[in-house]
Amino acid sequence: MSASANPVRGEAELRIAGETIVLRPSFAALVAAEGELGSLFALVERAAAGALSLGELVALFWHCRGETPAAITREHFGEAVVGQGLAQTTPVLRLLLGQILAGR
């Protein structure tokens, strides 16, 4: 099920349980994320201020994920993100937030 991200479409990759999960900030994904997290503008501001919570980061990634094996639940997904550490996840977050701001 591993796929490759297409940067032209604003996609990023995240490795979870040996799978490459493609994250894409589509309209539907962002609406779902905003429904859970509140304003995307406020989310971007919190991220820029270094005040984005781990739960918010995981929720944004979860809503932007593409095809994901059924065995990867949201809890498992969150644990895997935490297990990778901020050094691995920050570039993915930066790319997604850049795409949100650029409107691609």
Side-chain angles (χ1 to χ4, degrees), residues 16 54-55 57-58 75-87 89:
I16 302 286
L54 181 59
L57 178 134
V58 170
E75 181 178 349
H76 184 236
F77 186 89
E79 289 293 332
V81 168
V82 169
Q84 291 181 25
L86 290 177
T89 57

Side-chain angles (χ1 to χ4, degrees), residues 25-42:
S26 67
F27 176 74
L30 295 178
V31 167
E34 197 168 47
E36 179 177 342
L37 301 169
S39 166
L40 291 177
F41 292 109

Side-chain angles (χ1 to χ4, degrees), residues 57 61 85-96:
L57 178 134
F61 285 3
L86 290 177
Q88 292 287 347
T89 57
T90 299
V92 175
L93 176 63
R94 186 176 301 127
L95 181 62
L96 285 180

Side-chain angles (χ1 to χ4, degrees), residues 8-102:
V8 175
R9 293 181 65 189
E11 297 173 344
E13 293 180 1
L14 192 62
R15 295 285 297 169
I16 302 286
E19 297 282 344
T20 299
I21 307 299
V22 175
L23 305 178
R24 181 170 183 252
S26 67
F27 176 74
L30 295 178
V31 167
E34 197 168 47
E36 179 177 342
L37 301 169
S39 166
L40 291 177
F41 292 109
L43 181 87
V44 170
E45 287 178 349
R46 286 192 302 280
L52 188 68
S53 74
L54 181 59
E56 290 173 319
L57 178 134
V58 170
L60 178 63
F61 285 3
W62 179 255
H63 288 294
C64 290
R65 82 196 186 289
E67 195 172 328
T68 306
I72 299 178
T73 64
R74 185 165 177 174
E75 181 178 349
H76 184 236
F77 186 89
E79 289 293 332
V81 168
V82 169
Q84 291 181 25
L86 290 177
Q88 292 287 347
T89 57
T90 299
V92 175
L93 176 63
R94 186 176 301 127
L95 181 62
L96 285 180
L97 292 177
Q99 296 304 322
I100 290 168
L101 290 170

